[in-house]
Amino acid sequence: MMHGGLELARPRRHKIRLWVWLILLAALLLIWFFPRLAAVCPAKLHHWDEALGNFLLPRYTERLAELTEQNAVLHSQLAAARDALTENEAFRSLTGCGRAEGSWQPGQVVARRAHSVTLSCTGEEGAAVLDPQGRYAGRVTRSGTNDTCEVTLVGAEDFSCAGLAGGYAGLLEYSGDWTLTALPADCGLSAGTPVTTPGGYWLGTLAAAPQPDEDGLTACAPLTDTADLSSTVFFVKIG
């Protein structure tokens, strides 16, 4: 009886092995078939892919279309930003106002006030502070504790900064907008003239030709391409 029971179990083992071979054969056929189907009839395969996706994940096709559209918009914005940065670098190189050289350390803004910020880095008093694009934003006014430093941004009442434009010197003012004041009334500068600090840090460009003030002796002009004072990260000059 024992021997007969063992003999009766053998056909079931053969049947299980047969199913394993059939599954493997089906998998091989799918691997061989689908690439050729995609080459011959890509639209049909795409339709099957969408049908399977919608079956496994509700709104699969709709979500995929939304993500594809968002990806295209992001790529377009990235390309536009890259072109703008390249143009900006070429302009600075042409005018001899390249990015500031030397050693710089990044500092995250940990506290913000009207015209000053606290950065998570050290800095010597008087050290220049730039925004992420390398534009002059202010200076270190106090080294704090716990590896922090206090930075006074352009626009503070006690902040004075000269601006050099085309061989003429003016004073930088900020009240929501950047302005270069105290220029000679007959300076003859035009829109697009680069403006830097005496140390060579980038302040921006003249957004328009200087207009004479009421006294007729001085002139002022608005600036563009100026520092982003709302940035969450700034760079502090080392040494």
Side-chain angles (χ1 to χ4, degrees), residues 192-212:
T193 301
V195 182
T196 66
T197 69
Y201 302 119
W202 184 266
L203 286 174
T205 61
L206 297 183
Q211 298 298 316

Side-chain angles (χ1 to χ4, degrees), residues 62-82:
E62 182 180 345
R63 293 179 182 178
L64 180 61
E66 293 176 355
L67 291 175
T68 301
E69 182 179 355
Q70 292 176 7
N71 187 50
V73 172
L74 290 175
H75 275 285
S76 177
Q77 293 176 347
L78 180 61
R82 186 183 298 110

Side-chain angles (χ1 to χ4, degrees), residues 24 26 38 59 73 75 78 81 90 105 117 119 129 138 143 147 160-161 168-169 176 182 186 193 198 200 208 213 230:
L24 290 175
R59 298 182 61 249
V73 172
H75 275 285
L78 180 61
Q105 60 175 326
V117 294
L119 300 182
V129 177
S143 294
D147 293 330
S160 61
C161 177
Y168 297 95
D186 60 349
T193 301
D213 296 322
S230 64

Side-chain angles (χ1 to χ4, degrees), residues 75-166:
H75 275 285
S76 177
Q77 293 176 347
L78 180 61
R82 186 183 298 110
D83 292 342
L85 289 175
T86 301
E87 182 180 355
N88 193 20
E89 289 294 339
F91 178 72
R92 293 187 181 192
S93 177
L94 179 65
T95 57
C97 299
R99 291 191 180 279
E101 298 180 354
S103 298
W104 299 82
Q105 60 175 326
Q108 185 81 24
V109 175
V110 296
R112 183 181 294 275
R113 293 161 293 279
H115 296 291
S116 64
V117 294
T118 302
L119 300 182
S120 60
C121 66
T122 59
E124 295 183 1
E125 184 175 343
V129 177
L130 309 181
D131 77 345
Q133 299 299 323
R135 301 170 297 199
Y136 187 74
R139 59 174 173 256
V140 175
T141 50
R142 185 170 66 87
S143 294
T145 57
N146 300 324
D147 293 330
T148 62
C149 63
E150 304 295 327
V151 173
T152 299
L153 300 174
V154 173
E157 293 183 359
D158 57 347
F159 191 101
S160 61
C161 177
L164 305 181

